[in-house]
Amino acid sequence: MRLSLFILLSYLSYTLASRKSSNAQNSVPIASRRSFHVHGGSLQSPVSTLNLIDGEEMSMTESRILSDSTVFPLTLKCSSDSKKVDVVEWVKVNKDRLVSELLPKHGAIVLRGFEVKDEEAFSRIIKSLDLEEQPYIGGNAVRTVVADRVFTSNESPPTERIPFHHEMAQVPRYPTRVMFYCQVPSREGGETPIVRSDEVCDILREEFPDLYERFKEEGVKYVRVAPMDDDPTSALGRGWKSTFGTSSREKAEVEMKKDGFEWEWKDNDELLTKSKKLSAIRMVDGKEVFFNQVIAAYSGWNDSRNVASRAVVFGETGDLLPSATMKAFIERVNGIAVSFEWKQGDVLLIDNRQVMHSRAPFVKPRRVLASLAR
């Protein structure tokens, strides 16, 4: 089925001297802060045969060109009348390329300019991708289900910055894809910054080699005290009842045992958990990635029950992470992140294996929804 649709591939300024070749007359140069129309039907064909025609000023100036010439994130923009485009049908037709080719290559994809009215429309898009649902069992954030396979993003106060993390990397069973949808953008702040974890791992290895070696050799363990019921004042305030989907201590213990947790029941029905040793550095598609919740736990797991500097420890010795080194490392990571302004209707697809995300403080109202899949 051929859709009447044009898509915009957004690129930052980049020049390759080696681009000159005997076929130069048929190539389309990548211009400074320009993007290119691509005929919608061509998305089903290999990237090398995309029908690139005249470019125009790009809307995603925040994108970066990585060392291997990959655009991060890739932006696909509907530049025809969005009301005439069935985005669900378009996703169904192109899901294999989106999920199996473009997402692993770029790490993140922004769908922009499509008509995505509400949570039900987002739910239909998610289901049209034909991905396995990932239940939110073991996660820390307070969330509310609003549609099939769709829930609110972290409901912590808007003044709270949520640091970089791979979704649910503190538990053995984690999603491989994370999807966000902007229903109501904030008038100030509220971005969802993203960063490639292979780049983060390169920085760690080259600039902080001692820390890299300890993470690689020892792994990490996560320590958290959860309330009985959800605490919406905290970025990690999900209660153990919600976390494990039960009000029974015995059933919660069954779930913790499955995932290798150590635990201790505290006063006021609070629950202290310590994860089993988990890798901090993993191989994804032949590359080392900094796959974990280390930055989020170390700099963001603060509330009335938890102290962030003690929320993650080295997996073998139980030592705390070195504070001065971690501060410098986190600053470097923040410096290579991509942060873009949400537009109403934006859908962001993230390969959770290789990209971390975060959340900037914001001014209400803001409504960004999420979905997890494998």
Side-chain angles (χ1 to χ4, degrees), residues 19-124:
R19 196 172 181 86
K20 298 178 181 179
S21 69
S22 59
N23 295 321
Q25 68 273 20
N26 297 319
S27 66
V28 180
I30 300 177
S32 176
R33 293 192 181 276
R34 306 282 284 184
S35 58
F36 302 90
H37 290 293
V38 182
H39 195 279
S42 298
L43 190 61
Q44 300 168 72
S45 304
V47 173
S48 60
T49 63
L50 287 176
N51 180 28
L52 298 177
I53 55 180
D54 44 0
E56 64 184 48
E57 290 299 321
M58 65 178 283
S59 58
M60 280 286 287
T61 57
E62 302 91 343
S63 296
R64 292 181 55 229
I65 299 294
L66 306 182
S67 59
D68 63 355
S69 304
T70 300
V71 185
F72 178 70
L74 177 68
T75 303
L76 304 179
K77 182 174 181 179
C78 176
S79 57
S80 62
D81 185 351
S82 62
K83 292 183 179 179
K84 296 180 180 178
V85 175
D86 185 340
V87 62
V88 174
E89 183 63 26
W90 181 83
V91 170
K92 284 181 180 179
V93 170
N94 293 293
K95 63 186 177 185
D96 291 338
R97 289 237 20 240
L98 286 170
V99 172
S100 300
E101 182 181 340
L102 296 178
L103 190 57
K105 177 181 178 180
H106 295 272
I109 299 173
V110 178
L111 303 182
R112 174 163 285 183
F114 294 89
E115 187 174 43
V116 187
K117 290 183 177 180
D118 53 25
E119 59 267 27
E120 295 296 337
F122 181 49
S123 174
R124 290 192 292 273

Side-chain angles (χ1 to χ4, degrees), residues 140-141 160 170 221-229 231 233-240 243 264 266 270-275 296-312:
N140 298 336
E160 296 289 319
Q170 79 279 15
K221 291 183 178 181
Y222 301 95
V223 183
R224 173 180 174 244
V225 177
M228 179 174 65
D229 297 308
D231 175 7
T233 68
S234 169
L236 63 151
R238 196 175 193 214
W240 61 262
T243 299
E264 177 185 346
K266 310 286 285 184
E270 294 177 344
L271 173 64
L272 183 151
T273 59
K274 178 180 285 188
S275 74
Y298 183 81
S299 59
W301 287 14
N302 280 307
D303 63 12
S304 60
R305 297 165 294 274
N306 297 274
V307 177
S309 62
R310 297 179 177 276
V312 55

